[in-house]
Amino acid sequence: MQQREEASRTPSIIVGGVAISGGVAFIAGEALSRARPGIDFVACATGAAYLVNVIDLLKYGLLGIALLLLARMLEDRLSRTGRVVGRVAGAGFVVTGVANGIEHCAHLDALGLVYVAGVLTGLLGAAVFGLVTVRSRALSTWVGWAISLGVLGFMAAAQQGGAILIGVALIAVGFNLVTLPVERRNALAA
């Protein structure tokens, strides 16, 4: 019985941990850009510039992985459309993180288009995925709203601290998943 409880708890803890890590990366990136506003992250000529690009890889990559894992964890409770949207949004963010760093640090400007396509796919897909999660009632409805409003806030105010909105939303969602009661975790794992 103890093993079953541990096994059923693991997916929500993993997804929650990835979401929390992604939220921390978004906030750390925002803090670094405010503390050192003159960093030329596009040129990748300094250690700070490399750090900005690593944080971008982490924040978008972890958000993408969290969405992919969440879509997988909720697979039986989401509609087919919801599963597809979650996977597409997650993949879009992973592509964004990788393309951003390569574009800047390897000076491959052609990957700018891949970055833009990935971030738009990720942001719009995540906003829809949050709504699908609300509708499915697979988790507390506020979790889906936090995903949707976090990414929409980031889109609307990316240069004015929008990263903090999505960071806080991810941390809240992750904390919720990590602290789910055992009965709720068992229901998700069943």
Side-chain angles (χ1 to χ4, degrees):
M1 183 72 165
Q2 179 77 12
Q3 274 184 323
R4 178 165 160 61
E5 286 181 12
E6 287 297 317
S8 65
R9 191 171 72 171
T10 303
S12 67
I13 290 175
I14 292 170
V15 177
V18 171
I20 291 168
S21 300
V24 168
F26 269 96
I27 293 171
E30 185 68 20
L32 181 60
S33 69
R34 288 175 186 261
R36 304 261 323 261
I39 296 173
D40 185 5
F41 61 90
V42 176
C44 266
T46 65
Y50 279 106
L51 180 59
V52 167
N53 281 287
V54 167
I55 289 173
D56 278 354
L57 168 65
L58 289 173
K59 71 185 187 186
Y60 290 121
L62 289 169
L63 173 55
I65 291 168
L67 289 172
L68 289 167
L69 291 173
L70 189 58
R72 173 75 172 117
M73 185 178 87
L74 301 176
E75 188 169 40
D76 295 337
R77 289 165 178 74
L78 294 174
S79 65
R80 183 173 190 267
T81 302
R83 292 188 304 269
V84 169
V85 168
R87 291 176 185 141
V88 168
F93 280 126
V94 170
V95 166
T96 297
V98 172
N100 182 63
I102 295 172
E103 174 198 8
H104 293 163
C105 296
H107 306 291
L108 297 174
D109 294 338
L111 285 178
L113 181 60
V114 175
Y115 167 82
V116 170
V119 79
L120 288 176
T121 300
L123 288 169
L124 296 174
V128 172
F129 181 70
L131 295 176
V132 169
T133 304
V134 168
R135 187 165 183 225
S136 74
R137 299 201 183 273
L139 296 169
S140 298
T141 56
W142 73 263
V143 170
W145 286 115
I147 293 169
S148 291
L149 295 174
V151 296
L152 290 173
F154 179 65
M155 283 190 333
Q159 301 301 316
Q160 295 82 30
I164 294 171
L165 294 174
I166 195 169
V168 169
L170 285 171
I171 291 169
V173 167
F175 185 75
N176 177 265
L177 291 170
V178 167
T179 61
L180 280 176
V182 173
E183 305 82 40
R184 187 76 174 119
R185 284 189 204 127
N186 289 340
L188 287 173

